[in-house]
Amino acid sequence: MNKKNLISITDFSKEEYLRIMELSQKFEDNPNQSLLKGKVIATLFFEPSTRTRLSFETAINRLGGKIIGFSDSNSSSVSKGETLHDTIKMVSNYADLIIMRHPLEGSARYAAEVSDVPVINAGDGANQHPSQTLLDMYSIMKTQGRLNDINLFLVGDLKYGRTVHSLLMAMSQFKNPIFNFVAPPELAMPDEYKLYLSNKGIRYFEHLEFNNIINQADIIYMTRVQKERFIDPVEYEKVKNVYILKNEMLENTKPNVKILHPLPRINEIHTNVDGNPKAYYFTQAKNGVYTRMAIISHLLNLL
Amino acid sequence: MQKQLNVSAIKDGTVIDHIPTKALFKVVQILKLDQFDNMVTFGNNLDSKVMGTKAIIKIANRYFEDEEVNKIALVAPNAKLNIIRNYEVVEKRVVQIPEQVNGIVRCFNPKCITNAENVYTRFQIINDKPIEMKCYYCEKITYENEIKIK
Ligand SMILES: [Zn+2]
């Protein structure tokens, strides 16, 4: 069986990344399609995530498909104790594709094994959320015109942040990236990722705070530094204002630089950045719809 | 002396030596020796020059495929097998950590789907000494000191 899934970002090859970029652009140019006409897509949200669900459901609607599913497990048979195995077995008999979010890690990989139809992982606990990475890449591609030679600043929680890890893995497939990690020691980029970059001969630099070096950035990818991540609350108090991006910090940055953020933002990007043309996070979220249209079309071979 | 030898010696079968004492029952579990009809003899807390104390298992009339016995390397990486035929050791083998470990070990990650549902676990060994194994499902690493047999 030649069923394709998207569970982890590394499931896709570089060629597939580029294919998704190309399709995303195509759908952005022509968002209303009928490629999914006559098809049923299941969106199974075993935990609520309104933002992600609406983005996927908009993508399905724009492609002309029909949706079945649930938005949290309380309204589904799961609350009656049905196993994931049985839910997926049942739904894969009804739908042409399953999009799922689940609090347990590895649940999407398991569902893909059980299901007869393709599965898209819309988040499995703290593990993977590959459509986010693809929309991040599309945002980079769109604003920089390329995925090669990008100087990428990753800021904030680089230890637990799954989005930054996936983005690092994906962007490492392209030529000459430079990674700059800006994080407190408690939330530094884990060694396994640094080792991965070293083994591939990719340059990276670590910084404890923003400094003049952000003037070299093409992309500044912000994430939130959460209090819960610190064992010692004093350490959090010390660094909580260090990783906040303010408009004045962007003064001497490159004209092409764009600020990305997976959203929701709390306070890590000051609202005075929002009006700056370098702020891109809201457009980035909008790009997610086109990228998700692209992922669905790719997995179902619609084009 | 003579009597003791009669109890422990086997005519044909496999002797698994150099098992860490705390791993004896895990080895029993992995090889499912509790379900064997053949004669199985255990010795635990035996003196060992190399290990201080060790455990040993003798299984009459039973030989193991590499794939089967390599599973015990997860808990007894230095185990040695003596293949016995007609009271003679005809072959000595060491165990090797397999590249894939399927269905034996529990994933250390409490939030892993394999700990919530009846999923056959799958790991890839990414380091042998000490053992580090990556779960195929949650992608988290289980380290040697965290290994629990399912
Ligand atoms: Zn796992």
Side-chain angles (χ1 to χ4, degrees):
Chain A
M1 189 172 46
N2 243 340
K3 174 171 76 85
K4 229 181 293 175
N5 307 292
L6 177 59
I7 309 302
S8 298
I9 191 66
T10 48
D11 291 355
F12 274 8
S13 63
K14 182 181 173 180
E15 289 64 37
E16 285 179 297
Y17 294 151
L18 291 170
R19 172 79 176 145
I20 298 296
M21 300 303 109
E22 183 195 327
L23 288 176
S24 303
Q25 182 63 61
K26 192 181 163 73
F27 290 133
E28 179 161 8
D29 296 341
N30 285 300
N32 294 313
Q33 302 275 343
S34 52
L35 292 163
L36 272 183
K37 195 157 183 279
K39 292 221 173 3
V40 175
I41 310 293
T43 54
L44 311 183
F45 279 63
F46 295 86
E47 68 175 4
S49 173
T50 309
R51 184 181 306 276
T52 303
R53 188 172 55 85
L54 291 182
S55 178
F56 270 114
E57 293 188 350
T58 306
I60 298 162
N61 278 306
R62 292 255 184 234
L63 287 168
K66 293 237 176 354
I67 298 165
I68 59 167
F70 47 85
S71 55
D72 71 89
S73 56
N74 290 331
S75 57
S76 74
S77 57
V78 189
S79 56
K80 300 189 195 99
E82 186 176 63
T83 61
L84 176 64
H85 175 275
D86 290 2
T87 306
I88 297 296
K89 265 283 172 223
M90 171 191 69
V91 175
S92 80
N93 287 331
Y94 301 157
D96 298 290
L97 175 101
I98 293 173
I99 295 162
M100 67 175 274
R101 187 184 187 98
H102 195 286
L104 290 174
E105 295 162 21
S107 52
R109 180 76 63 196
Y110 178 56
E113 259 177 18
V114 172
S115 167
D116 300 324
V117 299
V119 174
I120 297 175
N121 181 8
D124 59 328
N127 188 34
Q128 298 281 340
H129 188 19
S131 63
Q132 175 70 48
T133 310
L134 289 163
L135 79 88
D136 293 341
M137 291 166 82
Y138 181 54
S139 298
I140 296 172
M141 181 77 174
K142 247 180 86 178
T143 59
Q144 310 299 317
R146 61 182 201 276
L147 290 171
N148 296 325
D149 306 300
I150 298 292
N151 189 324
L152 186 58
F153 273 64
L154 303 173
V155 184
D157 180 356
L158 306 186
K159 184 175 179 186
Y160 300 99
R162 65 182 174 186
T163 55
V164 292
H165 299 157
S166 297
L167 188 58
L168 179 152
M169 298 297 286
M171 290 301 289
S172 301
Q173 307 309 311
F174 295 88
K175 275 188 209 144
N176 302 321
I178 300 176
F179 291 97
N180 282 282
F181 304 140
V182 185
E186 290 83 354
L187 300 179
M189 182 60 75
D191 289 342
E192 56 174 302
Y193 293 100
K194 292 191 271 182
L195 193 65
Y196 176 81
L197 295 179
S198 304
N199 288 340
K200 289 188 72 119
I202 295 172
R203 287 165 294 173
Y204 68 87
F205 304 93
E206 294 185 275
H207 316 274
L208 288 175
E209 52 189 273
F210 282 114
N211 46 39
N212 293 332
I213 199 169
I214 69 164
N215 299 344
Q216 299 167 19
D218 297 311
I219 293 290
I220 302 173
Y221 197 98
M222 298 295 298
T223 64
R224 183 151 63 101
V225 171
Q226 289 171 273
K227 192 176 183 176
E228 307 85 273
R229 301 296 192 197
F230 287 79
I231 302 159
D232 183 355
V234 178
E235 290 303 313
Y236 171 73
E237 291 303 318
K238 269 196 249 170
V239 303
K240 70 174 184 187
N241 292 322
V242 177
Y243 304 96
I244 294 179
L245 185 70
K246 301 186 186 81
N247 201 28
E248 49 274 25
M249 296 162 75
L250 295 170
E251 213 162 280
N252 296 313
T253 51
K254 286 165 79 168
N256 63 307
V257 72
K258 289 287 182 271
I259 320 299
L260 304 187
H261 188 297
L263 302 182
R265 154 184 66 172
I266 305 298
N267 64 346
E268 55 278 9
I269 301 174
H270 196 284
T271 49
N272 69 11
V273 179
D274 293 359
N276 192 317
K278 292 171 179 175
Y280 195 72
Y281 27 93
F282 295 116
T283 315
Q284 178 190 1
K286 181 181 165 197
N287 289 339
V289 172
Y290 310 126
T291 307
R292 288 176 172 121
M293 290 170 80
I295 295 167
I296 293 166
S297 309
H298 177 63
L299 293 182
L300 290 175
N301 291 314
L302 298 179
L303 281 170
Chain B
M1 194 63 200
Q2 186 60 41
K3 196 176 176 185
Q4 209 178 358
L5 268 177
N6 283 343
V7 172
S8 51
I10 50 173
K11 180 168 182 280
D12 297 289
T14 306
V15 175
I16 308 173
D17 199 356
H18 297 285
I19 302 168
T21 53
K22 65 177 191 336
L24 172 62
F25 290 99
K26 289 181 178 170
V27 172
V28 169
Q29 218 184 332
I30 292 171
L31 294 176
K32 300 194 167 68
L33 297 180
D34 53 335
Q35 296 164 25
F36 269 39
D37 294 329
N38 311 20
M39 185 184 82
V40 182
T41 328
F42 306 103
N44 205 4
N45 299 315
L46 308 174
D47 288 333
S48 161
K49 283 191 192 109
V50 194
M51 307 166 74
T53 60
K54 65 173 183 181
I56 190 164
I57 305 175
K58 302 184 181 193
I59 307 132
N61 303 313
R62 179 75 160 83
Y63 304 97
F64 295 89
E65 297 293 326
D66 281 349
E67 194 189 332
E68 201 177 0
V69 84
N70 279 343
K71 294 173 181 175
I72 72 169
L74 295 172
V75 293
N78 299 313
K80 288 193 174 58
L81 272 76
N82 294 311
I83 315 302
I84 315 282
R85 291 190 200 276
N86 203 16
Y87 298 106
E88 299 278 332
V89 177
V90 296
E91 192 191 337
K92 283 175 182 282
R93 272 153 62 187
V94 291
V95 295
Q96 272 173 350
I97 292 167
E99 281 174 22
Q100 303 279 339
V101 176
N102 297 338
I104 313 162
V105 176
R106 201 177 276 283
C107 180
F108 184 69
N109 176 9
K111 291 173 121 178
C112 179
I113 185 70
T114 62
N115 289 314
E117 277 190 29
N118 185 24
V119 182
Y120 189 77
T121 60
R122 295 162 70 179
F123 295 90
Q124 193 183 0
I125 300 286
I126 54 170
N127 195 39
D128 332 2
K129 277 187 183 172
I131 296 169
E132 294 177 14
M133 37 203 280
K134 186 175 187 179
C135 175
Y136 169 76
Y137 294 97
C138 73
E139 308 182 23
K140 295 283 179 301
I141 314 273
T142 296
Y143 295 93
E144 186 165 318
N145 59 353
E146 299 162 345
I147 291 177
K148 286 212 169 58
I149 306 302
K150 266 197 122 168

